Amino acid sequence: MTTRTSAPAPAAEVVRVSVPERSVRHDLRAVRIVLHRELIRFWRDKVRLVSGLVQPVLWLLVMGTGLSNLMASGSGPAGDIDLKTFIFPGVCAMSVMFTAMFSAGSIVWDREFGFLREMLVAPVSRSAIVIGKCVGGAFVATVQGTVIVLLAGLAGVPYDPLLLLELVGLMFLGAFALTGFGVMMAARIRSMQSFFGLMQMAMMPMMFLSGALYPLNGLPTWLSVLTRFNPLTYAVDPLRQAVFRHLDASPALERTFNPGVTWNGWVVPVWLEVVIVVLMGVGLMGVAILEFRRAD
């Protein structure tokens, strides 16, 4: 009897998959892609675009007009200044704050739907994803804030090209710092409800303790200390300083409505406030990068 030996089955063909090595060029491309995605998402979400404009416009036109009438009918020191002019820089800062925080919240949304995991396993560094999120969120927030800047005439702010460019640049720096803060908070949060609850708890004190709606001089000591530790304070004051440089305000009005930020009686210069905002943005983004490197 002859036995037949079957031939060995051919080995399965192994498909080689080549993954590009990580490089600065690929990371920069990832930053650009994430930024582009943020712009597309912002432009397609018309409800978010409109709702982000309604609240600042209400603060400027409704509350500003009401405060102006109150000061005009009382014995306040407003003089010939419109209170809408005073709160205009604060409204600009609040506009980019809300938009920047909601842009950072998209990370939690991506985590819930699984898109974030796909980005984290991509052959790019996680720092590139965080940088793209921070720059994209800041850019989107600045675009939203630019619309408020275009309403400067309604607040009695002159349409000076240099002033408008300065306001837009300062808003971008503030939006970058705020987006970094939001991304840092969103790095570990798992649900949208928790994120927006936490952001609401953080944004309201930041807004009311920033000098956006009232001058920082003459406050009680405990409240004055809180305003000096508020990061948004150093984003609002440069905007107000820029606006008042283009107004014909008396020294008395300057002392009342544009006192600046002081540390134990020393007036903090605008350039130092800008440096503080930039350092806060870079530092918060760095913490966010560390959080993402530890994330699952």
Side-chain angles (χ1 to χ4, degrees), residues 34 39 126 202 281 287:
V34 175
L39 292 176
R126 297 189 176 187
V287 175

Side-chain angles (χ1 to χ4, degrees), residues 20-79:
E21 295 183 1
R22 293 182 178 179
S23 63
V24 175
R25 183 171 63 87
H26 283 91
D27 288 343
L28 291 177
R29 183 171 178 267
V31 171
R32 180 178 59 84
I33 292 173
V34 175
L35 191 154
H36 188 223
R37 180 173 179 265
E38 291 297 314
L39 292 176
I40 294 175
R41 171 183 284 179
F42 173 71
W43 180 251
R44 289 181 177 178
D45 193 351
K46 304 300 182 183
V47 176
R48 173 187 167 191
L49 195 151
V50 174
S51 62
L53 293 174
V54 169
Q55 188 171 11
V57 171
L58 287 176
W59 281 101
L60 180 63
L61 299 181
V62 177
M63 184 174 180
T65 302
L67 288 176
S68 297
N69 293 335
L70 178 64
M71 296 297 292
S73 61
S75 58

Side-chain angles (χ1 to χ4, degrees), residues 55 59 94 97-99 101-102 105 181-182 185 189 191-208:
Q55 188 171 11
W59 281 101
M94 287 190 295
M97 177 181 71
F98 286 111
T99 307
M101 291 297 188
F102 282 111
F181 174 73
M185 300 300 293
I189 298 178
S191 68
M192 292 294 293
Q193 292 83 358
S194 299
F195 176 79
F196 286 118
L198 184 62
M199 286 299 102
Q200 191 73 13
M201 184 179 66
M203 285 191 298
M204 297 306 291
M206 288 175 63
M207 181 181 70
F208 286 111

